[in-house]
Amino acid sequence: MKFPAGLPIGESWIETPSTAPVIFPYDGSTVAAAPVGTVDLAQQALANALSVRETVGRLSSYVRRNVLQSVHSAVLAARDDFIELLVLETGKPLVDCRVEIDRTLLTLETSAEEVARLHGETVPLDLLPSGEGLLGFWVRKPIGVVVGITGFNYPLLLAAHKIAPAFAAGCPIIIKPAPQTPLATLWLVDLMRSALLEAGAPESAVQLVTGGADVGATLTTNGRIGAVSFTGSAAVGHQIARDAAPTKVLLELGSNSALVVAEDADLDAAADAIIRGGYYASGQACISVQRVIAVESIRAALLEKLGARLPTVTVGDPRDPATRVSALIDPKSTARVRDWVEESVHAGATIAYASDGEVLGPTVLTDVPSGQLAWDEEIFGPVIAVRSVPDIDSALRTVNETRYGLQASVFTSSLDTAFSAIDRLEVGGVVINEVPGFRSDVMPYGGVKDSGIGREGPRFAIEELTTTRMAIIRPRP
């Protein structure tokens, strides 16, 4: 991790009035001192981004693709160092940080490729007599300055999801990482700005500002920006959407993802998926398994298989390759998850499995009543809630009985059940016989209802960050 001190604003790095420690969640040690931005610095970043908007929008496809390819090569060369840094600042297990860097590389690579596919098409204006003799076509134009705000759980990947498509579309971007995890994003931005400098493009095309809610509000409420892309909680996303209006807002919000197990499912495969999908990233993933909805006839067998697998989930130091669950991002988050579990038990739920220790280990709750936070809301921790229902029809209805709708999965041997789920589930993605957390960075990813609006994935994000411009020409005789 080598980059200048301060924040990358304008064509240089600006020293900040203060710094804050980045803490290794597992043992509380300090990883580094990170610069803390201010409202004044956010305003400077906005002014710089707006000043280069037209220049960035006119960069050739060659330059935009070449810059992204160069950054991909630089991140690949530093892959191991990025992984080490991600483990330290997020506290996520090593295995999950390896996945994060690989997905980041794919996002950069695919965004570079999509530059060549950013084009419009002709329109037959002569479908009406008034259009005879007219030539019509449309092209895509950059939406303008983009403000990207990311969460703490996948800081490098989420930053890449916003930076790479924005630049591919020809938009300057200001990225604001989560206060707990700014380091990997700072490094990525430094690599991006180095590639911009080498290409003769303005470094102001990519800037980064840290800070609190006041900094975020300054960035998102400026009426001259083109779009806000936010990843985080539903409550904050709603506030941003209200405050930013009428600016376009792309929101990737929360979830309480469901995994349905039908009576004809492969129970071993389902149990493996529940363990894998419920506890990766220590449960701090928006599409981790939270609600398991099993048909009553296979409930006992499924719980037995889960019970046999849970002791194999290694809890401990995230730097250990064997670890699958480690400390949550901070003690406050751990206390909140424990409180939600206790509240569920007081309301009638049962703890079917839990592990002792300072680190919150894999937990299974059964029969959590509706109205409890551990069922209704996003728990963002290594906790799974299992409920049984009479049949698959009831299971699909239960999946939809939530304000969220990001992704869901169904384990079944029946094509009828699979296609019924695809047709009926009110989510952005339906996954059959895999974890609901399955995500490829080339697919249109996003949710419905309170899980957000808009889609990520380079191709789809680029479309979100461009506008169509229609051209109508009447040639001279």
Side-chain angles (χ1 to χ4, degrees), residues 14 19 21 31 34 47 117 131 142 248 271 303 306 317 330-331 349 372 379 424-425:
I14 298 179
T19 62
V31 179
R117 303 185 182 98
K248 183 174 185 178
L303 286 172
L306 287 176
D317 191 328
D330 53 38
Q372 289 301 302
I379 198 163
R424 293 174 56 189
L425 293 182

Side-chain angles (χ1 to χ4, degrees), residues 392-394 396-397 400 419-427:
I392 192 66
D393 183 67
S394 301
L396 299 182
R397 286 202 309 271
N400 290 338
F419 280 101
S420 179
I422 293 168
D423 182 55
R424 293 174 56 189
L425 293 182
E426 297 167 355
V427 293

Side-chain angles (χ1 to χ4, degrees), residues 1 75 77-87 101 187:
M1 181 179 65
V75 174
R79 180 178 184 274
D80 291 343
D81 291 333
F82 264 112
I83 291 170
E84 181 181 357
L85 177 59
L86 286 169
V87 171
I101 192 71
W187 193 1

Side-chain angles (χ1 to χ4, degrees), residues 141-167:
K141 291 293 184 179
I143 201 168
V145 174
V146 176
V147 172
I149 301 178
T150 60
F152 68 80
N153 55 332
Y154 281 81
L156 183 65
L157 177 62
L158 295 176
H161 278 167
K162 302 185 188 311
I163 292 171
F167 183 71

Side-chain angles (χ1 to χ4, degrees), residues 295-367:
V295 172
E296 179 63 42
S297 61
I298 54 88
R299 169 191 168 115
L302 179 65
L303 286 172
E304 182 179 353
K305 291 180 181 296
L306 287 176
R309 287 164 170 76
L310 282 159
T312 68
V313 180
T314 303
V315 180
D317 191 328
R319 295 166 292 192
D320 185 339
T323 296
R324 293 297 178 269
V325 173
S326 192
L328 300 186
I329 189 66
D330 53 38
K332 181 180 178 181
S333 297
T334 303
R336 176 189 57 76
V337 174
R338 292 188 191 277
D339 287 345
W340 286 18
V341 170
E342 291 178 9
E343 289 168 8
S344 296
V345 172
H346 291 155
T350 300
I351 298 178
Y353 186 88
S355 59
D356 297 326
E358 291 186 13
V359 172
L360 179 63
T363 303
V364 176
L365 296 170
T366 57
D367 304 317

Side-chain angles (χ1 to χ4, degrees), residues 86 92 96 99-108 150-151 153-165 184-185 188 439 441 456:
L86 286 169
K92 258 192 344 232
D96 298 310
V99 171
E100 178 171 1
I101 192 71
D102 290 341
R103 289 182 58 194
T104 298
L105 288 165
L106 178 62
T107 298
L108 292 166
T150 60
N153 55 332
Y154 281 81
L156 183 65
L157 177 62
L158 295 176
H161 278 167
K162 302 185 188 311
I163 292 171
T185 308
L188 175 65
R439 176 178 177 183
D441 296 284
E456 290 192 338

